[in-house]
Amino acid sequence: MSLKRISGSLFALALLLCLVAAGLAAGSRRNDRPWMDRGLSPDARARLVVQAMTEPEKIQLLSSTSVNPDQPLPLAGLIRGIDRLGIPAIKETNAGLGIAIPFRNGHHNTADEATALPSGLAIAATWSPDLAYAAGSLIGSEARAKGLNVVLGGAANLARDPRNGRNFEYAGEDPLLTGSIVGEAIRGIGDRHVISTMKHFAVNDQETNRSNLNAVIEPAALRESDLLAFEIANQRGHPGAVMCSYNRVNGTPACENDWLLNRILRKEWGFDGWVMSDWGAVHSTARAAQAGLDQQSGVEWDGARYFGEALAASVKDGAVPGRQVDEMAQRVLRSLFAAGVVDDKTPATLADSSRDAQLAQHLAERGIVLLKNSAGLLPLAPDIAHVAVIGGHADIGVMSGGGSSQVIPAGGPALQIPAPAAATWTVFDPSSPLNALAAKRPQAHVDYASGDDLKTAAALARTADVAIVFATKWEAEGHDSGDLSLPADEDALIDSVAAANPKTIVVLETGNPVRMPWKDKVAGILEAWYPGQGGGEAIANILVGNTEPAGRLPITFPAGDAQLPRPEIPGYTSSPGNPIDVDYREGAAVGYKWFDARRIAPLFPFGFGLSYTSFAFHDLSVTRSEVPSVSFTVTNTGLRRGSAVPQLYAWAPGADGQVTQRLVGWRRVDLAPGQTERVDIEVPPLLLAGFDAERDRWQLSETAYPIAIGASAGDTPLTASLPVAPRELPP
Ligand code: BGC
């Protein structure tokens, strides 16, 4: 036998022995660790782990630290793993609009970069739950590729105030739209074996004084508005975690709120994951634990380590039953098993950055909303000779919003400038609209003026066939806007350019609605939100007509602050830190519902958005059944392909008897010129119901509800009456 063959046989024998040893080890590990049996339910597995845990190990699971310099990436929260039990470390990062690794003193490492998606409002403006799912799936994949297993993404607060500095992270003002978009993003994250965190539960609807704010609102109205958004998101997405918010709700801190956490979230909605606090939102040990808080996040942010030794002490002195701590640990572990975090420790295949970049751009394109287009100025004529691009750093990139959701975009920020009134930076994502436009109109002169000097900008505009002004307004976590105006110099810039050239188009990069005193002076308006790292390309594609403007507003654009339920943000001018009550006396009449009830005409209504073609809706019919439905026909009456977003509204009384307009369904329909499609929409009875707080039940009180199909909340020409059997809805 040759030496080569002998060594080959020895190698095979050694391999066999290794496999046998590995098999035995796995078998014995299965015996030592019965919770590793994937055939058991997540609940059973979590229970088995809890039985094997020491008390300090349980307590360890119930708080996270924000100080983790030993980690490859700075984490928002870290809970160390329990090696002896095979429980991995829990690594939490922000990820509403992409994986958001914080800057390291203004700098970053390449590994901190991630795909910067458009803002939440932009994704909501697609009115596409499928695209929201795709965004979630991208976030989940990138999280896993970075070795992270919990993302603090799934923000479902309603945009009750269009000046809230975090609205850009959220999905607008309607419970159905928000719940559907956020729920699908959560589902997309979960399908990548990453836990998502639905937040900020609940009524953290302004940033001003968020830690000292008491949200005062009728419980029934709350059920029909903010909580309905969370309820729908929870049902569609099944998040593994929920984050309770900074504020109080009707006098009780959200993270100590038995009604919110135990009664509604767990008992009624069947949420079976864990509740973590927002960073710095815990005020007690026993009270919070008994009210349903499972985990104190970023303990360094709170006044004390409420869930560390203090929790152990509370168990000892009987203030918190030991069984309670078991349940808290069990809920954390259950989500780890349910999401596959324990079983599936290997990172997913590396995130595919070019595919992710394409999706970021596609989301931006589908979410950009065309608000005005006089005389068909857009799309720009193919033979246009001279375009003036002005302002907004359009030569460099596109604006993004600030705070914990800030993503460091792939390739690094295009520009970082000191942020207004905050010790941080305004980040511009790469992708310059100017360069993208120039590339798509190579025969045209595309010139740029910064807009710093009004005269230079006007002079350039005067010589051009079309002037495009980029106006930006930065919004960020921790701050609200004092009013709806653009920064004053930008209004003045638009005025001067429009005076010099009537063919002026304004492209807005904003995190919220803005006032537009110049609306009648300009020919076109495009709301691009914060469009993410593919934003420049996306804007240019829409301007030249490579892509249709497909977005519809997920939030009402008021004509001014005086139209709002609270013309001033409560506490905005008083000293920060003073406790305040915010009286949400509009109840469930949030956004367009308020405008409808008061018969006020906004600047642009919820649901609005123009297309490069036109549509007609006709032949509405209704079907009475347990789940009633409507059907109607949509026709593309224009000359280009395009997608209509017909919206179905109903008018139904809430618990307080006040009738509110409610979005109860919609559809996206892509049609060629002249094409027609019949569309069916089912109406979930919950969306017509009022919440009877006394009986703790949803109630359908009417025999018929007025309904209408239209292109926006303010344009609902096709009307009917929807017959329904009055009844109590099952809990
Ligand atoms: C924010 C959360 C965020 C957390 C961790 C808080 O200030 O409100 O949305 O997830 O910080 O960074």
Side-chain angles (χ1 to χ4, degrees):
M1 202 185 262
S2 75
L3 206 59
K4 216 169 168 190
R5 283 178 86 176
I6 295 174
S7 69
S9 312
L10 283 176
F11 175 74
L13 187 66
L15 190 66
L16 187 69
L17 287 174
C18 283
L19 288 174
V20 170
L24 287 175
S28 79
R29 211 176 306 128
R30 217 169 296 128
N31 291 339
D32 301 353
R33 296 178 175 175
W35 52 87
M36 288 304 182
D37 179 350
R38 296 181 188 202
L40 298 175
S41 71
D43 277 311
R45 296 176 73 180
R47 219 170 298 123
L48 287 166
V49 184
V50 171
Q51 280 163 14
M53 286 172 105
T54 62
E55 192 185 271
E57 283 168 343
K58 293 175 202 165
I59 301 271
Q60 180 185 325
L61 267 190
L62 304 181
S63 61
S64 68
T65 170
S66 294
V67 180
N68 41 62
D70 59 331
Q71 295 296 308
L73 294 172
L75 300 170
L78 170 71
I79 294 132
R80 301 208 179 268
I82 307 170
D83 286 346
R84 83 175 182 93
L85 303 176
I87 301 303
I90 300 178
K91 298 186 173 187
E92 300 172 342
T93 188
N94 285 293
L97 318 173
I99 304 297
I101 305 298
F103 280 106
R104 305 164 190 246
N105 292 325
H107 301 286
H108 77 281
N109 298 342
T110 316
D112 304 347
E113 295 173 6
T115 303
L117 296 174
S119 66
L121 278 180
I123 293 176
T126 68
W127 290 58
S128 168
D130 292 345
L131 285 178
Y133 176 89
S137 172
L138 177 155
I139 288 171
S141 305
E142 292 196 2
R144 289 203 56 217
K146 288 184 186 300
L148 308 164
N149 48 24
V150 175
V151 297
L152 310 172
N157 295 85
L158 279 196
R160 248 177 206 279
D161 195 306
R163 297 156 300 190
N164 176 0
R166 286 191 98 169
N167 281 346
F168 75 91
E169 296 182 51
Y170 303 149
E173 67 191 22
D174 179 75
L176 176 62
L177 184 63
T178 293
S180 310
I181 293 289
V182 177
E184 286 303 302
I186 289 174
R187 204 166 64 78
I189 293 168
D191 283 354
R192 303 276 78 78
H193 293 192
V194 170
I195 293 169
S196 62
T197 311
M198 189 167 76
K199 67 185 187 181
H200 309 88
F201 195 64
V203 215
N204 186 173
D205 292 347
Q206 70 171 49
E207 288 297 284
T208 302
N209 258 348
R210 65 182 180 178
S211 297
N212 296 291
L213 178 159
N214 179 30
V216 180
I217 181 163
E218 276 302 319
L222 185 51
R223 297 299 305 259
E224 294 164 7
S225 53
D226 296 53
L227 293 188
L228 184 55
F230 281 107
E231 182 171 0
I232 296 170
N234 177 55
Q235 215 170 54
R236 286 184 86 136
H238 298 291
V242 162
M243 185 190 294
C244 50
S245 54
Y246 287 115
N247 52 292
R248 282 173 288 147
V249 178
N250 291 328
T252 309
C255 290
E256 283 180 12
N257 204 308
D258 177 71
W259 180 71
L260 279 177
L261 305 181
N262 283 333
R263 244 183 75 197
I264 296 179
L265 179 66
R266 291 217 169 90
K267 206 155 148 236
E268 211 177 296
W269 299 349
F271 169 72
D272 45 19
W274 86 90
V275 176
M276 67 172 81
S277 66
D278 202 340
W279 273 236
V282 187
H283 308 283
S284 63
T285 300
R287 243 185 4 251
Q290 301 280 34
L293 178 66
D294 299 311
Q295 194 177 67
Q296 180 185 11
S297 303
V299 290
E300 300 78 13
W301 289 61
D302 278 308
R305 287 176 169 265
Y306 292 107
F307 275 26
E309 280 160 21
L311 184 57
S314 298
V315 173
K316 218 172 197 171
D317 67 22
V320 175
R323 186 175 28 85
Q324 172 86 41
V325 170
D326 286 0
E327 275 171 25
M328 292 156 78
Q330 149 109 15
R331 290 196 277 253
V332 177
L333 291 163
R334 189 211 178 272
S335 285
L336 298 186
F337 285 115
V341 162
V342 179
D343 301 325
D344 203 352
K345 286 181 227 152
T346 47
T349 44
L350 275 183
D352 175 345
S353 55
S354 77
R355 187 203 53 204
D356 291 355
Q358 270 173 25
L359 177 60
Q361 182 182 324
H362 183 60
L363 286 165
E365 285 168 354
R366 302 304 285 175
I368 291 174
V369 185
L370 179 62
L371 294 173
K372 182 172 180 186
N373 190 15
S374 287
L377 180 59
L378 291 175
L380 296 176
D383 58 354
I384 196 153
H386 188 193
V387 182
V389 172
I390 297 164
H393 298 287
D395 55 333
I396 295 177
V398 288
M399 185 176 261
S400 68
S404 60
S405 67
Q406 178 79 64
V407 176
I408 302 171
L415 176 70
Q416 254 172 282
I417 51 177
T424 178
W425 293 269
T426 299
V427 171
F428 282 74
D429 288 333
S431 160
S432 142
L434 173 75
N435 295 347
L437 191 59
K440 288 171 210 300
R441 282 288 178 268
Q443 83 297 345
H445 288 289
V446 182
D447 290 326
Y448 181 71
S450 71
D452 293 346
D453 179 63
L454 300 191
K455 282 201 184 115
T456 314
L460 174 63
R462 205 164 293 122
T463 61
D465 297 320
V466 165
I468 307 176
V469 185
F470 284 78
T472 57
K473 183 174 180 183
W474 190 70
E475 308 270 0
E477 178 181 341
H479 312 266
D480 296 316
S481 285
D483 59 46
L484 288 164
S485 303
L486 277 174
D489 49 347
E490 304 208 26
D491 279 338
L493 175 65
I494 297 169
D495 275 337
S496 327
V497 173
N501 189 334
K503 290 189 176 169
T504 291
I505 294 160
V506 177
V507 177
L508 294 163
E509 291 167 19
T510 66
N512 261 325
V514 288
R515 279 182 64 230
M516 303 180 200
W518 33 261
K519 178 183 156 215
D520 295 336
K521 299 182 200 158
V522 301
I525 306 171
L526 210 58
E527 175 53 84
W529 315 107
Y530 299 140
Q533 67 175 43
E537 282 290 323
I539 292 167
N541 270 337
I542 286 174
L543 290 172
V544 302
N546 290 348
T547 312
E548 60 153 344
R552 302 293 186 271
L553 294 179
I555 185 168
T556 306
F557 275 47
D561 300 78
Q563 292 189 326
L564 299 173
R566 284 161 296 285
E568 274 182 24
I569 298 242
Y572 192 79
T573 45
S574 62
S575 37
N578 282 352
I580 52 165
D581 277 356
V582 181
D583 191 356
Y584 290 112
R585 68 172 71 103
E586 75 277 20
V590 178
Y592 65 89
K593 301 171 203 279
W594 168 262
F595 282 78
D596 178 64
R598 300 270 158 145
R599 308 220 177 292
I600 315 170
L603 189 63
F604 295 108
F606 173 83
F608 179 77
L610 299 171
S611 165
Y612 288 154
T613 185
S614 54
F615 304 99
F617 308 144
H618 45 105
D619 297 324
L620 172 61
S621 64
V622 301
T623 309
R624 180 196 174 108
S625 88
E626 187 83 352
V627 179
S629 63
V630 306
S631 64
F632 56 96
T633 303
V634 185
T635 304
N636 182 342
T637 52
L639 298 175
R640 295 174 67 104
R641 186 174 198 100
S643 50
V645 185
Q647 299 148 40
L648 174 60
Y649 293 94
W651 282 260
D656 54 1
Q658 203 192 130
V659 172
T660 49
Q661 181 180 8
R662 305 174 180 197
L663 177 74
V664 296
W666 76 89
R667 206 36 68 74
R668 282 205 80 102
V669 199
D670 181 48
L671 297 171
Q675 198 186 345
T676 276
E677 194 171 310
R678 191 81 188 149
V679 172
D680 297 309
I681 299 181
E682 284 194 339
V683 182
L686 179 67
L687 299 177
L688 298 171
F691 191 80
D692 183 336
E694 249 162 52
R695 299 175 49 234
D696 216 12
R697 279 281 181 282
W698 289 95
Q699 178 76 40
L700 282 173
S701 53
E702 310 294 297
T703 52
Y705 292 86
I707 56 160
I709 294 284
S712 77
D715 171 22
T716 50
L718 202 57
T719 61
S721 166
L722 190 67
V724 168
R727 61 188 190 272
E728 211 170 62
L729 297 180

